[in-house]
Every structure is written in C-alpha cells, then in structure tokens.
C-alpha cells in the first residue's frame, strides 16, 4: 500500500504542481454578460488527452513490447514538450503584461494561449501517463487472487496517491488565484522545474545514443539529478507550501469592515476561506513531503537485493560459468570500473540456451535494481513484473540490454560495456 502511494506521488506530483499553477495563469475565454469560461478547463482537457494517449501507448507496449522502443518515443515527445513549455510561459506573461497596462488581450490571443497551454498539458501528461498506468499491473501480486487483501491494499494505496496529487493540483490553482502575480510566478517556477527535468532527460538520451559527449563533471551532475528526482519534486512542493503561507499572511490584511453587517459577514467569510485554503494546502504539502521522504524510506526498505555473485575477468571479458546461471533464476553480478563505480548486471536463463542479460537498471527507474519473486523478475522501484522473455530487449521497465556471448560453457560480457555503463550507476 505504501509502495503504491509513493510511486504514484513521485511519478505525478511535479506535473500536477506545474499544471495546477498554470491552470490559474492561462486567460479565461468567452465573453458577454455572463462572463468568461474559466481558462483552467483547457488544462484539464489537455491533461485528459495526455492520459488517453499514454493509455494507448501502454496498451500497445503490453501487446507488442519488442516493437516499441519507449526511449525513442520519450525523446521525440520531449522535444515538442519543451518548446510548448517555453511558448506557453511567454504567452502567459504577454497576457499578464497587457492586463497591467489596462489593455485586454484579444479573443484571438486568448484562444491561442489556451490551445498552446492545452497542447503543453497533453504532451507533459503523455510523458508521465505510461509509467503511472503501468503501475496498475502491480495491483495483483504474483500467485495471489484479484480479491486478495494485498490487491485491495494496493488499489487503495494507488487511489490515495492519486487523490493527494489531485488535491494539491487544485489547491495550487486556488492559491494562485488569490494573488495577481502569484499565478504567473508559480506557473513559471513549476513549468520551469518540470521542463528542466525534461531537458536533462533529453541530454541523457542523446548521451546514451552517443550523439553527444558531455564532460565528466557535467555528466555526473546530470546523473545525480536524475537519480535524485524526488529531491526536485520536494523543492517544488516546498514552494507550494511557501505560497500557502503567503496566502495565509495576505488573508490577515483583507478588509473586514463594511458599511453594513451583511458586507462585514461576507468579508469575514472570505478571509476565513482564504485561511482554510492555505491551511489545507499546507497540510497537503506536508503529506506529500512525508510520502516522498518517510514513505519512500519505508517502501524501499521492504526489499533487499541479493548479493552479487562471483565471476572471472579474462582479458577484456567478464566471464560467468553457464552451470552457475542455468537454473532459471535471477543472478546478479557487480563489476567495479576503473573510476571506482560499481556496475551491476543480471543474467537469467529464459529458455534452453537463451539468456536474458542486462544492466541491473532501466531507463525509466534508474539503478534501483531487480529482484526475483515467485518466479518473476520485478523492478524494485515500480514493482512492475518483467516478462522474462523480453529481458535483453529495449523498452519499458526492462533492464538496459548489454552485449554478451555464449561459448565453451561460459557467458562473456565485454568489460568495455560495463565501463561505459558507469554513468548509469553514478
């Protein structure tokens, strides 16, 4: 249950904070005596479109995993996402600037801002949705029934996490509506932080494809950022907490007097609603922070990876005896690179003389590793059970594949491959 809460919150919270703030910053649309339709509707529809696209990709990936390379899809989806983020923020500030000058944005400008913001929400959500949806596969643990206690706990944990994230998104939107500058500033910070993670992932993919080569210090900084993404989410959550405190302070200076008792009651009720909003948002931020720290510590401590097994180094090869890995179980090995970084790789017999060989890490969850449970190979971070037949292929939460050769009763992995993988475990 705790694992499900941690996973869904860590996966979606940063996106929810960014879209929540942005939904308060995009202009309203419409007109006439009845006023405009709220601009946040465009963000909601964009996010729903992103979930739908992510759902389609998830289904396709589950049906034909070998034909889907999620790394390539992620790369080509992130580029327009970053561009749309920049355009969205520019349009938000332009509309804000015109409003300060007393010049109302035209209907065309508002419509353009709404469409761009909706497109950004769709693409940013599409980036996250497959990982969040794949988590549903972990509801039913291996060798348990659909109506077991563990299954119910997993479903409840997932729903609690979704509810907490949604609550924070709505809370941030309502907080940003309480200040003239709070909405554009918070949306810029939220979208900016989220875009930073997107840019870093683009750079990492380019590095993995050997299209670019980064200096060691820069690459180590990027690797640290990727491996500590929850810290970035915590920073964004802390900023939302600061916004809650600012709204609470502002509520104390709201006018409470009025020309008659009815007006005074209305103003007192408004100030009270501001305080309730700030207190509720602050409590939600604290809950999210506890999930990302205490909850993550508890969930990560539930599974311990098996100790690496011995192997031999012969020339430029790491050599494993086949009789040690031909039992159909997961075997873990660790090689210390020339820079002192421990690179783990796993081997499992799939069928006959076929083996699944890969790093003890994946492109999605990083170097958290895999463990075996009830005959299944499971990702320690997201609890997704691997299809053993697909281990050794790219995509999804599969281990990052590495080259190997089987001959003369041994399985050999090039040392050069393990040295090159040091950045994954840095």
């Amino acid at each position: 249950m705790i694992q499900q809460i941690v996973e869904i919150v860590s996966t979606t919270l940063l996106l929810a904070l960014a879209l929540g703030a942005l939904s308060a910053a995009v202009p309203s649309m419409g007109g006439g005596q009845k006023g405009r339709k709220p601009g946040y509707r465009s963000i909601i529809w964009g996010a729903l479109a992103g979930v739908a696209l992510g759902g389609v990709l998830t289904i396709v990936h589950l049906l034909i995993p070998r034909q889907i390379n999620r790394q390539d899809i992620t790369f080509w989806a992130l580029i327009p996402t970053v561009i749309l983020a920049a355009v969205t923020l520019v349009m938000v500030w332009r509309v804000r600037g015109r409003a300060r000058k007393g010049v109302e944005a035209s209907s065309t400008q508002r419509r353009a801002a709404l469409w761009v913001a909706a497109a950004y929400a769709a693409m940013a959500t599409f980036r996250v949705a497959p990982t969040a949806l794949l988590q549903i596969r972990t509801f039913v643990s291996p060798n348990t029934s659909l109506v077991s206690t563990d299954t119910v706990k997993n479903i409840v944990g997932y729903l609690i996490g979704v509810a907490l994230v949604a609550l924070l998104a709505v809370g941030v939107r309502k907080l940003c509506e309480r200040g003239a500058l709070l909405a554009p500033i918070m949306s810029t910070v939220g979208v900016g932080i989220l875009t930073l993670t997107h840019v870093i992932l683009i750079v990492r993919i380019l590095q993995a494809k050997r299209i670019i080569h980064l200096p060691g210090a820069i690459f180590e900084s990027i690797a640290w950022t990727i491996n500590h993404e929850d810290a970035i989410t915590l920073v964004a959550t802390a900023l939302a907490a600061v916004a809650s405190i600012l709204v609470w302070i502002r509520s104390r200076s709201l006018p409470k007097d009025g020309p008659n008792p009815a007006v005074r009651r209305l103003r007192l009720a408004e100030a009270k609603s501001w305080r309730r909003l700030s207190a509720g948002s602050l409590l939600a931020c604290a809950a999210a922070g506890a999930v990302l720290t205490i909850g993550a510590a508890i969930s990560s401590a539930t599974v311990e990876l098996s100790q690496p097994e011995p192997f031999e180094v012969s020339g430029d090869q790491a050599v494993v005896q086949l009789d040690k890995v031909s039992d159909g179980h997961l075997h873990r090995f660790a090689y210390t690179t020339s820079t002192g970084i421990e690179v783990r790789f796993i081997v499992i017999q799939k069928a006959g003389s076929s083996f699944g060989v890969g790093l003890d890490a994946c492109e999605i969850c990083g170097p958290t590793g895999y463990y075996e449970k009830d005959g299944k190979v499971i990702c320690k971070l997201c609890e997704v059970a691997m299809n053993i037949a697909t281990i050794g292929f790219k995509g999804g939460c599969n281990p990052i594949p590495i080259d190997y050769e089987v001959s003369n009763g041994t399985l050999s992995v090039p040392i050069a491959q393990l040295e090159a993988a040091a950045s994954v475990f840095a």
Side-chain angles (χ1 to χ4, degrees):
M1 181 175 177
I2 294 178
Q3 179 73 26
Q4 296 291 344
I5 298 174
V6 171
E7 289 307 317
I8 195 65
V9 170
S10 62
T11 299
T12 61
L13 182 56
L14 187 57
L15 171 69
L17 293 174
L19 295 187
L22 185 61
S23 66
V26 294
S28 300
M29 191 63 213
Q33 298 298 322
K34 294 183 179 180
R36 294 189 173 89
K37 295 180 180 179
Y40 64 78
R41 292 184 180 180
S42 64
I43 301 297
I44 294 175
W45 283 111
L48 291 175
V51 172
L53 290 173
V56 172
L57 177 61
T58 301
I59 294 172
V60 173
H61 170 69
L62 292 175
L63 294 176
I64 49 174
R66 297 186 183 184
Q67 282 70 38
I68 298 296
N69 189 325
R70 284 187 60 187
Q71 184 186 76
D72 290 341
I73 293 175
T74 297
F75 176 75
W76 292 111
L78 283 176
I79 293 177
T81 304
V82 171
I83 295 173
L84 285 169
V87 176
T88 298
L89 292 180
V90 169
M91 298 190 77
V92 164
W93 280 102
R94 286 191 63 181
V95 171
R96 166 66 187 168
R98 293 176 66 88
R100 288 187 63 187
K101 296 177 182 179
V103 179
E104 187 172 359
S106 67
S107 176
T108 301
Q109 290 174 326
R110 291 177 179 275
R111 186 175 289 108
L114 289 175
W115 277 104
V116 171
Y120 168 71
M123 294 303 297
T125 304
F126 173 70
R127 158 77 182 92
V128 169
T131 303
L133 293 174
L134 279 172
Q135 191 178 335
I136 295 175
R137 295 179 62 192
T138 67
F139 287 175
V140 183
S141 304
N143 296 332
T144 59
S145 67
L146 184 63
V147 292
S148 67
T149 302
D150 288 342
T151 300
V152 173
K153 287 182 178 179
N154 288 337
I155 294 174
V156 171
Y158 187 89
L159 294 177
I160 290 175
V162 171
L164 177 59
V165 169
L167 179 64
L168 269 170
V170 174
V172 167
R173 177 177 68 81
K174 290 185 175 293
L175 287 172
C176 290
E177 290 174 347
R178 277 9 185 222
L181 278 175
L182 201 55
I185 291 176
M186 286 294 292
S187 62
T188 300
V189 172
V191 173
I193 293 176
L194 184 61
T195 302
L196 175 62
T197 65
H198 292 165
V199 171
I200 290 175
L201 185 54
I202 290 174
V203 172
R204 181 181 179 180
I205 293 175
L206 291 174
Q207 174 82 1
K209 290 178 175 291
R210 300 184 180 180
I211 297 175
I212 62 173
H213 179 72
L214 299 175
I218 295 178
F219 189 84
E220 288 177 4
S221 299
I222 291 177
W224 185 93
T225 303
I226 293 173
N227 292 332
H228 297 80
E229 192 168 353
D230 280 354
I232 299 177
T233 305
L234 279 171
V235 170
T237 306
L239 292 175
V242 171
S244 301
I245 295 173
L246 291 176
V247 168
W248 185 83
I249 293 174
R250 177 73 178 86
S251 70
R252 295 176 62 85
S253 61
L254 290 175
K256 299 178 179 61
D257 294 329
N260 56 66
V263 173
R264 287 195 294 272
R265 284 195 297 271
L266 286 174
R267 290 179 174 177
L268 287 172
E270 182 182 11
K272 188 175 182 179
S273 70
W274 280 44
R275 290 194 295 272
R276 286 179 175 175
L277 172 62
S278 59
S281 299
L282 193 60
L283 183 61
C285 289
V291 168
L292 294 174
T293 52
I294 300 173
I298 293 174
S299 62
S300 63
T302 57
V303 176
E304 292 292 338
L305 298 180
S306 61
Q307 291 299 313
E309 302 175 23
F311 66 95
E312 299 176 359
V313 175
S314 178
D316 60 353
Q317 301 287 320
V319 180
V320 177
Q321 298 297 320
L322 284 183
D323 60 356
K324 302 294 185 183
V325 295
S326 298
D327 54 4
H329 292 292
L330 180 70
H331 297 268
R332 194 183 329 274
F333 303 91
Y335 168 79
T336 302
T337 67
S338 57
T339 56
I341 297 174
E342 184 182 76
V343 173
R344 304 188 310 274
F345 64 99
I346 58 175
V347 177
I348 186 170
Q349 185 182 32
K350 297 196 288 187
S353 61
S354 176
F355 291 85
V357 182
L359 297 178
D360 196 22
C362 79
E363 295 288 352
I364 299 174
C365 299
T368 52
Y370 301 84
Y371 64 94
E372 183 181 354
K373 181 180 179 181
D374 299 324
K376 297 181 180 293
V377 175
I378 301 174
C379 174
K380 181 180 177 182
L381 181 62
C382 67
E383 293 291 325
V384 169
M386 303 297 109
N387 181 349
I388 294 179
T390 67
I391 294 179
F393 296 94
K394 292 182 178 180
C397 205
N398 278 335
I400 300 172
I402 54 177
D403 296 333
Y404 73 96
E405 181 179 340
V406 174
S407 64
N408 299 324
T410 63
L411 185 149
S412 302
V413 176
I415 294 295
Q417 284 253 311
L418 301 178
E419 289 281 350
S423 58
V424 177
F425 295 87

